[in-house]
Amino acid sequence: MPRLILLNGPPAGGKSTLARRYVEDHPLALDLDIDRVRDLLGGWAQQPRPAGLLARSIALAAARTHLAGGHDVVIPQLVAQPVFLEQVEQVARDTAATFHEVLLLDSKENAIRRFVGRTARGETPEHRQAAEMLERQGGLAELAALYDRLLSVVADRPATQVVQTRDGEPDQAYRDFLACLFR
């Protein structure tokens, strides 16, 4: 039975890293990074909200197709609104996939520090874009508020499994993540 795995958490928390590692270890699993899907849309930066919603719709359709083929899908995405969580869960039900909602979590202070460090390194276009979008929305104060919204949304979802993460310990985070999936 295929797995639909939603890796949720604050920016710079390790979602993309763990998703990539999972698909490397699980042949034909799909790392369905919605930010990459959004980047395929022309002029998305001029209309980031509609582009984000469209990218999520495209991702749900791709997940449905991949799961129907019997393969795992990992969606590394910050989700601080319940609607998308419910949509992802519905795709799992529709395709008879097991649904795993995993929250990668560090303290708010560490999450902010990790984001600032990642931004300073500017290693990928996605990281630079995330920093630019956050700056337009209120900067680090918005990041702190986003962290609180994320915890509020997840508090209403008792099946969410939490993996405590620590900066510089991706191997432990990966082991803990796998433990959530194979209990």
Side-chain angles (χ1 to χ4, degrees), residues 61-75:
R64 185 177 305 279
T65 299
H66 205 69
L67 292 164
H71 306 290
D72 292 356
V73 174
V74 183
I75 301 175

Side-chain angles (χ1 to χ4, degrees), residues 3-5 7 14-37 59 62-63 66 71-77:
R3 293 176 189 84
L4 177 51
I5 305 161
L7 267 174
K15 297 179 300 294
S16 296
T17 299
L18 293 187
R20 278 191 304 273
R21 189 157 172 190
Y22 183 85
V23 300
E24 288 169 4
D25 291 346
H26 296 84
L28 299 181
L30 174 63
D31 175 0
L32 192 48
D33 188 323
I34 295 173
D35 293 341
R36 288 186 181 168
V37 173
H66 205 69
H71 306 290
D72 292 356
V73 174
V74 183
I75 301 175
Q77 179 73 26

Side-chain angles (χ1 to χ4, degrees), residues 4 67 87-99:
L4 177 51
L67 292 164
Q87 291 171 335
V88 173
E89 194 168 19
Q90 185 62 51
V91 168
R93 280 193 297 275
D94 292 348
T95 59
T98 58
F99 181 58

Side-chain angles (χ1 to χ4, degrees), residues 87-180:
Q87 291 171 335
V88 173
E89 194 168 19
Q90 185 62 51
V91 168
R93 280 193 297 275
D94 292 348
T95 59
T98 58
F99 181 58
H100 301 271
E101 185 177 334
V102 179
L103 174 65
L104 302 181
L105 194 62
D106 200 343
S107 70
K108 184 190 300 187
E109 295 75 23
N110 285 342
I112 292 170
R113 182 183 51 75
R114 289 165 80 162
F115 182 81
V116 168
R118 183 181 82 177
T119 299
R121 290 187 302 277
E123 295 168 348
T124 69
E126 294 85 9
H127 294 164
R128 290 187 294 276
Q129 292 164 352
E132 291 166 7
M133 287 175 52
L134 183 66
E135 192 57 39
R136 286 192 300 268
Q137 297 170 350
L140 296 182
E142 176 56 24
L143 180 57
L146 182 61
Y147 183 96
D148 293 339
R149 285 193 305 274
L150 173 63
L151 291 186
S152 176
V153 166
V154 173
D156 292 334
R157 298 186 58 82
T160 301
Q161 299 179 73
V162 177
V163 170
Q164 295 293 327
T165 62
R166 289 167 295 287
D167 196 17
E169 297 185 20
D171 291 339
Q172 184 62 52
Y174 187 63
R175 284 190 297 272
D176 294 345
F177 164 58
L178 291 178
C180 290

